[in-house]
């Protein structure tokens, strides 16, 4: 008898292992493992438009390791979660390419949440679980936006926190639409909403619309909604008590609102027009759903009128066309505040349910085909855009050349086309030798190019300028027996402290766009600027943007600092106590 049961006992772990390997959960774990392996080495990325946007994470991580707290000790354009996740991941994978670290760090949060969603769904249907998981993995693993901002292929180093919000909204939508386990639903909703709050506040607005729709439609019971809300506020309260981040973050948001007081309507129209390829079929699908479900909708309205109740009201609202309308509204609200994003990817879980319900239900074949085709037409544009852009960037990088550098650490792990590398070097010469021409453009309030910050040659030249400036600062320090401990780059981003293992000043904003994200300096900022050892001023090219930024800080730099020419592409304000005995060695 023992001889018969022993093989069964031994086979059971093997059977369990095989079942797990065939499951969607294994695919999720396997993908996360592959991404971790890729972060353990430095993989150069093709330079792309507005590539310097992700350098903000390097600046923030350096500040966090130095003891600074986002929003409390320095002004941030968005929430702190992404910066902390990046800091932790960079500590674990010091050789990871910064763009990949910034793009994949959110998986520390979304990965476990998606695992819970998949675990719940796969108990009913492995196919449905795979259908939810595969798009999530594509959008999370490929660090690209759905929109185009430049004709040449390159990496999307900008809009990363917008992509992170969309990925969180995808997990939230998948839970709201597909999860049946009450405990899983409560936890995922609370965790997703708390994460949205600490990534970008407009993400919470969009997430709230999704949650309100689910609640009104009876998808979330009142007890579950209260439990999720209590968990959400408990997280906010704990973070506020321990770090003071919540109130400081709200203050930053109010300051940003004061700087960006334009009308909302043009932004809403812009968001809709930029995503018309997706919204047109989604709108047609909503009309078709309204038409085919009209009899049911009218019947629910009559029941509500004859015998009003909470459940009758939920039946009225729980219509597929109203779900779709609410999700589209949430997407338009969020995208109205963005440059770069994975727009509307969170529609996919809902579109999947709508299509499955129609195809597997009692609907006629023509109706089911119409709904499925329109759902597919609305779902495909984000996926095809991201896959196509990643293929163009990475396949096209085969002929790229690496950017030569000495001081840029993993930030310098980039490449670009040879013709653009040559152009970047030539333009650096022109910017330095023809400075009066670019002064004149700055005087006129114009950039040298309307797409200057998207130009690959500008991004490559900017990195080279930083590399040379570090050489010059080290030469200056060695020649004069000094050390610049606190460094500020009076530009959009300040990677110098991280690159040189120094400190950034407290209170000074990161992501320094003087038109949108830099409040007028208060006394804390002015004190921090006055105590700087060195403030760098880029001059290749001189721009009206950097002039405006300099105008905010220059009153605090004078008279305690002296302006010198550090390199042909950088001036510097050096604290008078560190003033040179030997002139700066320009390059």
């Amino acid at each position: 008898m023992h001889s018969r049961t022993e093989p069964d006992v031994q086979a059971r772990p093997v059977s369990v292992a095989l079942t797990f390997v065939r499951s969607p959960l294994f695919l999720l774990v396997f993908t996360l493992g592959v991404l971790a392996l890729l972060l353990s080495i430095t993989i150069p990325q093709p330079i792309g438009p507005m590539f310097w946007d992700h350098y903000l994470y390097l600046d923030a991580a350096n500040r966090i390791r130095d003891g600074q707290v986002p929003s409390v000790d320095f002004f941030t354009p968005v929430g702190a979660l992404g910066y902390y996740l990046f800091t932790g991941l960079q500590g674990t994978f010091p050789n990871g390419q910064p763009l990949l670290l910034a793009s994949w760090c959110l998986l520390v949060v979304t990965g476990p949440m998606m695992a819970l969603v998949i675990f719940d769904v796969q108990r009913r249907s492995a196919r449905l679980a795979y259908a939810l998981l595969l798009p999530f993995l594509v959008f999370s693993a490929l660090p690209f936006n759905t929109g185009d901002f430049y004709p040449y292929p390159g990496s999307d180093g900008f809009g990363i926190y917008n992509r992170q919000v969309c990925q969180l909204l995808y997990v939230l939508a998948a839970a709201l639409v597909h999860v049946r386990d009450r405990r899983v639903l409560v936890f995922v909703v609370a965790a997703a909403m708390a994460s949205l709050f600490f990534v970008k506040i407009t993400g919470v607005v969009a997430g709230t619309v999704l949650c309100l729709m689910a609640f009104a439609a009876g998808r979330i019971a009142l007890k579950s909604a209260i439990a999720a809300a209590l968990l959400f506020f408990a997280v906010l309260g704990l973070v506020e008590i321990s770090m003071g981040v919540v109130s400081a973050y709200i203050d930053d948001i109010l300051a940003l609102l004061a700087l960006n007081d334009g009308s909302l309507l043009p932004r809403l129209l812009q968001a809709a027009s930029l995503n018309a390829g997706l919204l047109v079929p989604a709108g047609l699908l909503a009309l078709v759903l309204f038409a085919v479900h009209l009899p049911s909708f009218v019947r629910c309205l009559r029941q509500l009128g004859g015998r009003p109740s909470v459940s009758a009201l939920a039946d009225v609202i729980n219509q597929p066309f109203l779900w779709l309308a609410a999700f589209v509204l949430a997407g338009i609200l969020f995208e109205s505040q963005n440059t770069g994003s994975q727009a509307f990817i969170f529609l996919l879980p809902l579109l999947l349910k709508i299509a499955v319900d129609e195809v597997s239900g009692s609907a006629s074949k023509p109706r089911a085909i119409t709904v499925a085709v329109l759902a597919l037409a609305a779902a495909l544009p984000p996926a095809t855009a991201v896959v196509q852009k990643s293929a163009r960037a990475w396949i096209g990088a085969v002929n790229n050349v690496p950017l030569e550098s000495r001081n840029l650490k993993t930030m310098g792990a980039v490449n670009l086309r040879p013709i653009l590398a040559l152009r970047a070097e030539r333009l650096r010469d022109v910017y330095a030798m023809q400075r009066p021409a670019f002064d004149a453009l700055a005087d006129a309030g114009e950039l040298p190019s309307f797409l200057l910050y998207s130009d690959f040659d500008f991004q490559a030249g900017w990195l080279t300028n930083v590399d040379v400036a570090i050489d010059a600062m080290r030469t200056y320090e060695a020649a004069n027996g000094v050390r610049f401990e606190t460094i500020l780059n009076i530009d959009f981003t300040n990677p110098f402290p991280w690159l040189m293992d120094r400190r950034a000043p407290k209170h000074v904003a990161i992501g320094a766009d003087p038109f949108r994200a830099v409040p007028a300096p208060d006394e804390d900022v002015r004190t921090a600027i006055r105590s700087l050892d060195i403030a760098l001023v880029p001059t290749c090219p001189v721009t009206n943007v950097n002039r405006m930024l300099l105008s905010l800080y220059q009153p605090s730099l004078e008279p305690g600092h002296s302006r010198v020419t550090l390199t042909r592409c950088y001036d510097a304000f050096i604290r008078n106590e560190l003033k040179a005995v030997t002139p700066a060695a320009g390059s």
Side-chain angles (χ1 to χ4, degrees), residues 5-56:
T5 59
E6 222 173 81
D8 294 337
V9 173
Q10 292 174 352
R12 198 171 300 154
V14 176
S15 176
V16 171
L18 287 174
T19 301
F20 176 67
V21 168
R22 296 191 190 104
S23 72
L25 270 181
F26 174 77
L27 178 60
L28 174 59
V29 173
F30 177 78
T31 303
L32 295 179
V34 170
L35 296 183
L37 287 175
L38 294 176
L39 289 178
S40 65
I41 57 177
T42 306
I43 304 175
Q45 295 298 298
I47 211 161
M50 292 176 274
F51 196 69
W52 61 355
D53 198 39
H54 78 278
Y55 303 158
L56 303 186

Side-chain angles (χ1 to χ4, degrees), residues 12 33 39 56-57 60 77 88 125 155 161 196 267 286 290 323 369 392 413-414 428 473 479 498 526 533 548-549 559:
R12 198 171 300 154
L39 289 178
L56 303 186
Y57 288 87
S125 170
S155 299
Y161 36 78
L196 285 167
R267 294 183 178 183
F290 174 74
W323 275 91
I369 292 174
R392 286 188 69 203
V414 297
R428 287 181 66 240
M473 280 192 282
W498 176 71
R526 290 192 290 268
D533 287 342
M548 179 176 292
L549 194 59

Side-chain angles (χ1 to χ4, degrees), residues 296-317:
S296 171
F297 184 55
V298 171
R299 185 167 56 253
C300 291
L301 284 173
R302 287 173 178 170
Q303 291 175 348
L304 177 64
R307 189 175 296 176
S309 67
V310 173
S311 61
L313 178 61
D315 289 339
V316 170
I317 297 173

Side-chain angles (χ1 to χ4, degrees), residues 57 78-86 99-110 113 136 139-140 144-145 158-171 192 195-196 198-200 203 334 338 340-342 345:
Y57 288 87
V78 291
L81 179 61
Y83 301 135
Y84 276 105
L85 292 175
F86 178 90
L99 173 57
L100 299 181
L101 285 169
S103 299
W104 295 343
C105 66
L106 190 73
L107 281 165
V108 174
V109 173
T110 55
M113 284 194 286
F136 169 79
F139 294 122
S140 299
F144 290 86
N145 301 316
F158 67 101
I160 292 172
Y161 36 78
N162 295 328
R163 298 202 295 260
Q164 292 175 338
V165 167
C166 292
Q167 290 159 19
L168 282 165
L169 289 173
Y170 185 100
V171 177
S195 300
L196 285 167
F198 289 111
V199 173
K200 192 175 182 182
F334 178 66
N338 294 340
S341 177
Q342 289 178 340
I345 64 171

Side-chain angles (χ1 to χ4, degrees), residues 58-351:
L58 295 168
D59 186 10
N62 189 69
R63 291 172 184 245
I64 289 170
R65 281 190 291 268
D66 198 35
Q68 295 189 37
V69 177
S71 295
V72 175
D73 292 317
F74 60 94
F75 185 92
T76 62
V78 291
L81 179 61
Y83 301 135
Y84 276 105
L85 292 175
F86 178 90
T87 304
L89 212 62
Q90 190 183 41
T92 306
F93 301 102
N95 295 321
Q97 213 280 348
L99 173 57
L100 299 181
L101 285 169
S103 299
W104 295 343
C105 66
L106 190 73
L107 281 165
V108 174
V109 173
T110 55
M113 284 194 286
M114 197 64 188
L116 289 173
V117 173
I118 296 303
F119 178 76
D120 179 82
V121 174
Q122 75 177 12
R123 289 185 293 184
R124 302 188 303 275
S125 170
R127 290 182 180 180
L128 182 60
Y130 273 118
L132 286 172
L133 178 61
L134 288 173
F136 169 79
L137 293 179
V138 168
F139 294 122
S140 299
L142 301 180
F144 290 86
N145 301 316
T146 51
D148 289 313
F149 284 84
Y150 205 69
Y152 277 10
S155 299
D156 285 341
F158 67 101
I160 292 172
Y161 36 78
N162 295 328
R163 298 202 295 260
Q164 292 175 338
V165 167
C166 292
Q167 290 159 19
L168 282 165
L169 289 173
Y170 185 100
V171 177
L172 177 63
L176 292 173
V177 174
H178 293 280
V179 168
R180 294 182 182 176
D181 187 298
R182 176 182 173 272
R183 293 166 299 178
V184 171
L185 182 60
V186 168
F187 178 81
V188 173
V189 168
M193 289 296 288
S195 300
L196 285 167
F197 181 88
F198 289 111
V199 173
K200 192 175 182 182
I201 196 68
T202 49
V204 175
V205 175
T208 300
V209 174
L210 304 189
C211 290
L212 287 175
M213 179 62 210
F215 176 71
R219 186 68 184 80
I220 303 180
L222 178 60
K223 288 183 179 179
S224 298
I226 292 173
L230 289 176
L231 281 174
F232 170 77
F233 286 110
V235 171
L236 266 61
L238 182 63
V239 173
E240 173 64 15
I241 292 170
S242 60
M243 303 173 68
V245 168
V246 176
S247 57
Y249 179 36
I250 292 173
D251 288 342
D252 284 356
I253 292 166
L254 295 175
L256 283 174
L257 288 174
L259 290 170
N260 298 270
D261 57 355
S263 174
L264 180 61
L265 180 60
R267 294 183 178 183
L268 294 173
L269 295 174
Q270 176 180 292
S273 63
L274 287 173
N275 296 282
L278 177 153
L279 292 178
V280 168
L284 291 174
L285 176 60
L287 290 175
V288 169
L289 292 171
F290 174 74
V292 299
H293 289 277
L294 183 59
S296 171
F297 184 55
V298 171
R299 185 167 56 253
C300 291
L301 284 173
R302 287 173 178 170
Q303 291 175 348
L304 177 64
R307 189 175 296 176
S309 67
V310 173
S311 61
L313 178 61
D315 289 339
V316 170
I317 297 173
N318 189 27
Q319 302 292 326
F321 63 88
L322 290 178
W323 275 91
L324 187 55
F327 274 46
V328 167
L329 173 62
I332 291 177
L333 286 173
F334 178 66
E335 294 303 326
S336 68
Q337 306 300 311
N338 294 340
T339 301
S341 177
Q342 289 178 340
F344 292 94
I345 64 171
F346 58 88
L347 287 183
L348 271 63
L350 176 62
L351 293 171

Side-chain angles (χ1 to χ4, degrees), residues 419-442:
I419 191 173
L420 293 176
L422 179 61
R423 175 178 166 81
E425 187 58 36
R426 287 172 174 170
L427 284 180
R428 287 181 66 240
D429 293 337
V430 173
Y431 292 149
M433 292 186 294
Q434 305 297 330
R435 182 165 169 177
F438 298 100
D439 283 331
L441 282 170

